[in-house]
Amino acid sequence: MCMIFAICAFATCGGYSGHLRVRVECLDKSQSNLSITVNFAYPFRLQQVHFQPTLCEGNRQESIFLVGDYSSSAQFFVTVAVFAFLYSLMATVVYIYYQNKYREGNRGPLVDFVVTVLFAFMWLVSSCAWAKALSDVKSATDPTQVLLLISACRYPANRCSASHHPVWSELNTSVVFGFVNFILWTGNIWFVFKETGWYKTGQRYPMRSASGRRANGMSQRLYSQSSFDQSGDSFYQHPYSQGSFNQSIGSFRLPQTSLGQPIIISQGDVTSKGLNPIIFVNDI
């Protein structure tokens, strides 16, 4: 998938060529130039693109160059696309024919992970740079802006107009392919990371969270409670447990306490003498 979108990216950008066409109608119709074509292409060194419109003064013409050099952004974008295609092709061969050697040590997955992260970052940078450069290319090759460069169009007596505008659909598609490649390579980071030793070490020794520790403690308490219930059940189900319990009750005796002889006091003595409270013990 990465190879296909990489090919689409550098093909739509590196293979582009466009043109615009303007016309200049002089006050003297014999000096008019009704078809002035300006051609430009990748790598968009517009300062080298020139055309020769009429001056509407006899048969004189002037040489006009377009403005801007956007080759650095365009070439950077195409270079990233080409190298991404080559690396994807090499990685595919390794995955298919050298899978065992790839998994023998941790060096192969680590190199693959670092290169994948690097290409994801490069796709983002190159796509943003090319999108900005494309906007500037559109402005520099706008027929309205080109007409302002022609000296004859500065006189109201002459009539200047644009007869053909460049087609930008191919370059717009290249920008879309650039950001699609960025998304694809960013998604590949996770799959490559799973092959590294960092991910495998984390899976082998996972860190337990606080909720996991609470759940583990609760399971241990439930296990202890179930073990206690099972031990209680085994106690009641033991054939000698009931007899042993009865024997223990039979051998159990309350301590004997001697209260002495009861003292009988009439109600009148209590109220008249104002004695302290006395405990009455009935001898049954």
Side-chain angles (χ1 to χ4, degrees):
M1 186 66 69
C2 292
M3 290 188 296
I4 296 175
F5 281 98
I7 293 173
C8 294
F10 71 73
T12 52
C13 179
Y16 178 81
S17 62
H19 67 278
L20 61 93
R21 187 176 297 111
V22 295
R23 53 186 299 172
V24 178
E25 296 182 13
C26 300
L27 184 61
D28 185 359
K29 300 298 181 179
S30 61
Q31 300 177 0
S32 299
N33 192 341
L34 302 181
S35 179
I36 304 174
T37 303
V38 181
N39 297 309
F40 59 95
Y42 173 85
F44 306 103
R45 294 188 177 93
L46 300 183
Q47 83 278 6
Q48 298 178 0
V49 177
H50 68 282
F51 59 99
Q52 294 180 338
T54 180
L55 285 175
C56 295
E57 295 178 359
N59 294 324
R60 298 173 54 191
Q61 293 181 338
E62 62 176 345
S63 295
I64 297 178
F65 290 83
L66 297 182
V67 180
D69 183 5
Y70 309 99
S71 60
S72 59
S73 298
Q75 289 177 337
F76 178 51
F77 179 79
V78 173
T79 302
V80 171
V82 171
F83 278 102
F85 166 74
L86 294 177
Y87 181 77
S88 299
L89 181 61
M90 182 186 68
T92 303
V93 173
V94 172
Y95 293 156
I96 295 176
Y97 298 102
Y98 302 98
Q99 185 64 237
N100 295 331
K101 293 184 178 180
Y102 177 80
R103 295 179 179 271
E104 280 181 0
N106 195 33
R107 180 178 299 179
L110 283 179
V111 172
D112 194 12
F113 174 74
V114 173
V115 174
T116 303
V117 173
L118 179 62
F119 269 110
F121 176 74
M122 298 300 287
W123 271 118
L124 176 62
V125 175
S126 62
S127 298
C128 292
W130 170 231
K132 176 62 172 62
L134 177 59
S135 177
D136 295 338
V137 170
K138 291 179 180 180
S139 299
T141 57
D142 186 3
T144 304
Q145 298 296 326
V146 173
L147 290 176
L148 297 177
L149 301 175
I150 301 176
S151 300
C153 297
R154 299 172 186 173
Y155 297 96
N158 302 323
R159 298 176 56 185
C160 300
S161 61
S163 57
H164 180 77
H165 289 75
V167 179
W168 302 110
S169 58
E170 188 174 352
L171 293 181
N172 292 334
T173 306
S174 68
V175 175
V176 174
F177 280 131
F179 285 103
V180 170
N181 277 282
F182 163 69
I183 295 173
L184 289 176
W185 284 85
T186 304
N188 286 339
I189 293 176
W190 167 247
F191 296 101
V192 177
F193 176 72
K194 291 174 64 177
E195 300 295 331
T196 61
W198 299 333
Y199 178 80
K200 295 178 181 178
T201 303
Q203 290 294 104
R204 188 178 306 172
Y205 304 104
M207 295 180 62
R208 295 187 301 174
S209 59
S211 59
R213 290 193 295 268
R214 289 196 297 269
N216 190 17
M218 183 176 296
S219 62
Q220 291 180 356
R221 289 194 295 270
L222 291 175
Y223 176 76
S224 301
Q225 182 68 24
S226 62
S227 301
F228 177 77
D229 294 340
Q230 291 177 0
S231 62
D233 294 340
S234 62
F235 172 77
Y236 286 112
Q237 294 175 0
H238 196 276
Y240 299 101
S241 60
Q242 185 67 27
S244 300
F245 180 74
N246 293 332
Q247 291 177 2
S248 63
I249 293 178
S251 62
F252 178 76
R253 294 292 185 273
L254 291 174
Q256 300 296 326
T257 304
S258 178
L259 298 177
Q261 296 295 328
I263 301 174
I264 302 175
I265 301 175
S266 63
Q267 186 176 0
D269 296 334
V270 176
T271 56
S272 62
K273 295 180 180 181
L275 298 176
N276 292 328
I278 300 174
I279 300 175
F280 294 92
V281 178
N282 296 325
D283 189 8
I284 301 174

